[in-house]
Structure formats: structure tokens, C-alpha cells
């Protein structure tokens, strides 16, 4: 069976990230571990060192902008050496609407930096701010945007696809009607898999990267293909993400 890929997992929020990273390596699940702030990224980098299956992304979570905006310069600096950026984006839901202006200032600088550097892969949060996220990315974004847990209107999907965005689908989305409608609306070539653990649960436990198997199985049902067929498609898609900008 082709290996599973989790493009959005919060390893730093696990109680024992080093042990979990070892298990991820042992289970051979390609895992993109996002960070909520550059200081968290630095701690994880020091603790984990080089891993075969775990890659660290540096980010600044939009819901935490108030607390970590002072780390923006560190993030922009780290982006020089790190290709994966996340979790970044905007959150316009009621608890975070008050910081939207500040969130936008941060996200605009991240996107502009990614444009300057090229080849950057962004895992993007867009809850209740999907249009704003696409506005900030603009039509000429030079990196690759992965819209993580997209829950916005289907009417914006075309616009997102036009800027080359991918959509990472998690187990919670597979269980909801809106998530399944999104899956049905997406071209297979733009779909990726994620868990967003520990925020998503599987069997009443915080999701671990290997739980993306729930997503590959759900995609198989919608697409009418085998689990292996889905895994191969996801591999191909992630391969395209990694190749983007490298030509
Ligand atoms: Mn997340």
C-alpha cells in the first residue's frame, strides 16, 4: 500500500512529541507538522532534529496573533530556510473578528515574503474569512496554497482553484454534509489529506497522522476507487506541490 500523507498535524501540541515523532517514523506516514508560533517551531526543531517522515512548518496561527504578533519578524526570517509555512491565515469567526486587521497585516507579510522567496508551501486557515484569504493571496501567488479544513462557500472554490490552491481534507470533514459536498466539488488532482489532530478526533481520541486512513477511505467511496487508488492520487498531488516552482 502507498504511504499515507498528513499535510496538517499539530505535533507540538502532543504531550510527548518526540515519542510520537518516533512512532510516525516507524509507521511511515509522511507528516507535515504545523506550528502555532515561531518560538514553538524552534523548540520542536531542537527536540526532534532530522526525521525521515516528519517535516516541520513554521507558522503563526491567526487565532493567536494577539499573543505572538511580536514574533512576525522571526517568522519572516525563518521562511528563508524553511519551505513549509503553517499554520497561517485568517479567522473571521466571532471570537477572533476583533483581531482581523492585525491578522491581515501578519498574513499579508507572510504571503509577500513567500512571493519573494518562491516555492513556499502554505497550510492556510480560512474560517469565516475565505474571501479575504483569497484576496490576500491574489491572482499571482508564487507559492502553493493548501486550504486546510476549508468550510467556506462552494462558490469560492473555482477562484481558489484558479490560483492553484489545494484543499486538505480531514476526518471531521468526511463526516459532515458540507465537507462531503466540498469533496464532490473538487477535482481529484487538488485534494490532499490531513488530520488536524488534536483538534479532530477519531474514535473519541485526538487524531494521529495515521488516522488519515479515514479520509482516504471516504474519498474512495466518493470517487469510486480503491483505497490504494486514492493513496496514489494523493501522492501524485503532493508530488505536484513539491515540484511546483522547481522547474
Ligand atoms: Mn490546525
Amino acid at each position: 500500500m502507498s504511504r499515507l500523507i498528513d499535510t496538517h498535524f499539530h505535533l507540538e501540541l502532543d504531550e510527548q512529541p518526540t515519542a510520537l515523532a518516533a512512532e510516525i517514523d516507524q509507521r511511515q506516514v509522511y507528516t507535515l507538522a504545523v506550528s502555532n508560533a515561531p518560538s514553538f517551531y524552534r523548540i520542536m526543531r531542537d527536540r526532534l532534529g532530522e526525521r525521515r517522515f516528519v517535516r516541520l512548518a513554521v507558522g503563526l496561527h491567526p487565532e493567536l496573533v494577539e499573543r505572538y504578533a511580536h514574533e512576525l519578524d522571526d517568522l519572516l526570517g525563518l521562511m528563508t530556510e524553511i519551505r513549509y509555512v503553517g499554520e497561517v491565515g485568517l479567522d473571521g469567526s466571532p471570537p477572533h473578528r476583533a483581531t482581523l486587521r492585525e491578522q491581515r497585516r501578519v498574513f499579508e507579510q507572510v504571503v509577500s515574503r513567500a512571493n519573494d522567496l518562491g516555492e513556499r508551501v502554505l497550510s492556510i486557515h480560512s474560517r469565516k474569512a475565505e474571501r479575504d484569504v483569497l484576496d490576500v493571496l491574489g491572482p499571482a501567488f508564487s507559492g502553493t496554497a493548501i486550504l486546510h479544513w476549508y468550510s467556506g462557500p462552494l462558490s469560492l472554490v473555482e477562484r481558489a482553484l484558479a490560483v492553484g490552491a489545494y484543499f486538505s481534507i480531514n476526518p471531521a470533514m468526511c463526516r459532515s454534509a458540507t465537507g462531503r459536498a466540498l469533496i464532490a466539488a473538487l477535482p481529484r488532482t487538488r485534494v490532499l489529506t490531513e488530520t488536524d489532530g488534536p483538534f479532530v478526533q477519531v474514535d473519541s481520541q485526538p487524531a494521529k497522522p495515521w488516522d488519515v486512513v479515514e479520509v482516504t477511505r471516504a474519498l474512495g467511496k466518493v470517487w469510486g476507487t480503491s483505497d490504494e487508488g486514492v493513496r496514489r492520487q494523493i501522492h501524485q498531488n503532493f508530488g505536484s506541490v513539491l515540484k511546483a516552482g522547481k522547474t
Side-chain angles (χ1 to χ4, degrees):
M1 284 281 248
S2 299
R3 287 174 183 138
L4 296 166
I5 304 177
D6 182 353
T7 62
H8 188 105
F9 178 67
H10 295 268
L11 182 62
E12 67 192 12
L13 300 183
D14 193 84
E15 280 173 19
Q16 294 179 297
T18 311
L20 181 51
E23 186 171 1
I24 292 168
D25 269 353
Q26 186 227 323
R27 291 182 182 243
Q28 307 190 350
V29 180
Y30 292 110
T31 302
L32 196 53
V34 295
S35 56
N36 282 341
S39 48
F40 296 179
Y41 163 83
R42 287 181 180 281
I43 292 168
M44 292 300 286
R45 187 181 65 180
D46 294 347
R47 284 177 71 166
L48 297 182
E50 286 288 311
R51 297 281 162 168
R52 173 109 203 270
F53 285 88
V54 180
R55 291 289 174 275
L56 296 179
V58 63
L60 208 166
H61 200 296
E63 294 175 14
L64 303 173
V65 145
E66 226 170 348
R67 212 187 307 171
Y68 295 109
H70 65 279
E71 294 190 22
L72 175 60
D73 283 345
D74 192 23
L75 170 61
L76 299 176
L78 284 165
M79 281 176 67
T80 313
E81 48 190 275
I82 305 162
R83 191 167 181 211
Y84 302 109
V85 181
E87 181 160 356
V88 291
L90 300 173
D91 190 305
S93 67
H96 303 289
R97 215 174 279 159
T99 63
L100 252 183
R101 187 186 292 263
E102 180 72 346
Q103 291 179 39
R104 186 156 172 150
R105 182 183 73 85
V106 168
F107 187 49
E108 280 173 350
Q109 293 204 48
V110 169
V111 168
S112 147
R113 182 91 176 128
N115 274 327
D116 291 345
L117 293 165
E119 296 181 9
R120 292 303 176 274
V121 177
L122 272 57
S123 186
I124 302 174
H125 176 113
S126 60
R127 180 166 55 209
K128 301 285 181 202
E130 298 85 7
R131 201 177 301 272
D132 291 8
V133 161
L134 294 175
D135 286 346
V136 173
L137 288 173
F141 181 55
S142 82
T144 304
I146 303 176
L147 296 174
H148 127 78
W149 202 337
Y150 179 84
S151 58
L154 289 180
S155 56
L156 287 178
V157 166
E158 279 306 320
R159 216 185 124 194
L161 293 171
V163 300
Y166 288 74
F167 291 74
S168 53
I169 307 295
N170 66 48
M173 297 167 78
C174 297
R175 296 174 207 142
S176 83
T178 50
R180 284 197 300 267
L182 172 67
I183 294 167
L186 292 173
R188 293 177 195 190
T189 51
R190 295 298 187 85
V191 172
L192 293 169
T193 50
E194 66 164 46
T195 59
D196 200 19
F199 298 107
V200 166
Q201 299 218 324
V202 170
D203 296 331
S204 310
Q205 296 293 322
K208 300 290 196 296
W210 45 89
D211 291 318
V212 283
V213 70
E214 182 177 335
V215 180
T216 59
R217 287 187 186 137
L219 291 173
K221 277 187 193 145
V222 179
W223 294 348
T225 50
S226 66
D227 193 46
E228 175 59 17
V230 173
R231 291 177 186 221
R232 262 194 242 124
Q233 179 72 57
I234 301 299
H235 263 260
Q236 218 176 74
N237 298 350
F238 198 61
S240 304
V241 169
L242 297 184
K243 261 182 265 154
K246 289 238 162 186
T247 45

